[in-house]
Amino acid sequence: EAGVAQSPRYKIIEKRQSVAFWCNPISGHATLYWYQQILGQGPKLLIQFQNNGVVDDSQLPKDRFSAERLKGVDSTLKIQPAKLEDSAVYLCASSPKTGGQPQYGYTFGSGTRLTVV
Amino acid sequence: QKEVEQNSGPLSVPEGAIASLNCTYSDRGSQSFFWYRQYSGKSPELIMFIYSNGDKEDGRFTAQLNKASQYVSLLIRDSQPSDSATYLCAVNIMRGSSNTGKLIFGQGTTLQVKP
């Protein structure tokens, strides 16, 4: 099966600019996650979708970050305006079930490396 | 207290030795635990999961879980230079009665296997 697709792979922007990332999960996977991974740290969950509804966005900085998952398939994550501390890898993951239960885990995409200068 | 804690390392072992990676977690209600491997510049890759107390073996990898001590470990036998990577421990945290959960990751332990 095809994996989780993300684009772009790399993005360099100036602070205060806006940027958007795209994710296409594995076909049929109901749950989609966006994680932020700052260099030297583990991934931090930003937002979790179940189909096209938001399950958890408690760690999403809503003053500058937004995300949507139209029709319960593709998702976009947007940052506007970007700050220097947003420099990180943004990982999208999907799973067929909620909660990362055993034998499902998560499948991660290759990520988007964002550099804010 | 962080929800999932790992020693960032680096942990350096000689080729052929056993590498032992450790993780502690704070949520006593956690039921499932995962180990991911992440090579530099790559995304995390699931290598093992465990949800029962005791040991679970898969090839050269053994995951160990002790829920009473809130402790998870990963042993890598006959370590190879290709095992050099960051190992992320992840714990599934369930949300109340909604039957949804989320994976919380530790900061990862960097393993270096020297030839």
Side-chain angles (χ1 to χ4, degrees):
Chain A
E1 64 180 1
V4 177
Q6 288 190 249
S7 66
R9 286 297 309 276
Y10 306 93
K11 192 73 177 179
I12 300 175
I13 63 171
E14 294 182 349
K15 59 183 179 183
R16 291 188 291 274
Q17 285 188 325
S18 62
V19 64
F21 313 126
W22 173 82
C23 172
N24 182 241
I26 292 174
S27 179
H29 279 199
T31 312
L32 184 147
Y33 316 81
W34 283 102
Y35 281 82
Q36 179 194 57
Q37 187 173 23
I38 294 172
L39 187 64
Q41 299 182 18
K44 183 183 84 171
L45 180 67
L46 292 176
I47 189 167
Q48 177 180 347
F49 292 95
Q50 171 74 7
N51 297 311
N52 61 347
V54 175
V55 175
D56 185 342
D57 62 357
S58 58
Q59 297 295 304
L60 188 72
K62 298 180 186 65
D63 58 334
R64 298 184 301 105
F65 286 65
S66 64
E68 61 181 6
R69 189 183 185 196
L70 299 177
K71 301 180 181 178
V73 182
D74 293 7
S75 177
T76 56
L77 176 69
K78 298 179 181 177
I79 308 175
Q80 181 179 14
K83 293 185 175 181
L84 296 177
E85 60 260 36
D86 298 331
S87 294
V89 175
Y90 290 84
L91 294 162
C92 179
S94 69
S95 69
K97 294 274 191 176
T98 63
Q101 294 300 323
Q103 84 263 17
Y104 294 114
Y106 292 9
T107 303
F108 282 91
S110 55
T112 296
R113 184 177 300 275
L114 173 68
T115 303
V116 183
V117 298
Chain B
Q1 181 187 11
K2 292 182 180 179
E3 292 176 286
V4 181
E5 295 205 56
Q6 296 180 256
N7 186 321
S8 61
L11 172 66
S12 184
V13 301
E15 183 175 356
I18 296 175
S20 178
L21 305 160
N22 306 314
C23 172
T24 58
Y25 60 94
S26 61
D27 184 351
R28 286 196 168 274
S30 299
Q31 295 294 319
S32 49
F33 308 86
F34 300 80
W35 282 100
Y36 282 81
R37 177 176 61 200
Q38 187 172 31
Y39 292 112
S40 181
K42 301 295 185 182
S43 58
E45 170 194 13
L46 179 66
I47 53 174
M48 287 201 73
F49 64 86
I50 186 168
Y51 51 93
S52 298
N53 274 329
D55 296 0
K56 179 182 178 183
E57 187 174 316
D58 184 0
R60 295 186 297 112
F61 298 95
T62 299
Q64 299 175 317
L65 173 62
N66 183 325
K67 291 185 179 180
S69 300
Q70 296 174 245
Y71 180 89
V72 191
S73 65
L74 180 69
L75 301 179
I76 306 174
R77 291 182 299 282
D78 187 24
S79 295
Q80 301 297 309
S82 59
D83 295 326
S84 298
T86 296
Y87 289 80
L88 297 162
C89 172
V91 177
N92 186 46
I93 308 291
M94 295 302 292
R95 301 184 184 87
S97 59
S98 67
N99 198 33
T100 64
K102 57 183 178 182
L103 275 190
I104 302 299
F105 286 83
Q107 70 178 69
T109 298
T110 299
L111 173 65
Q112 297 173 347
V113 181
K114 298 190 180 298

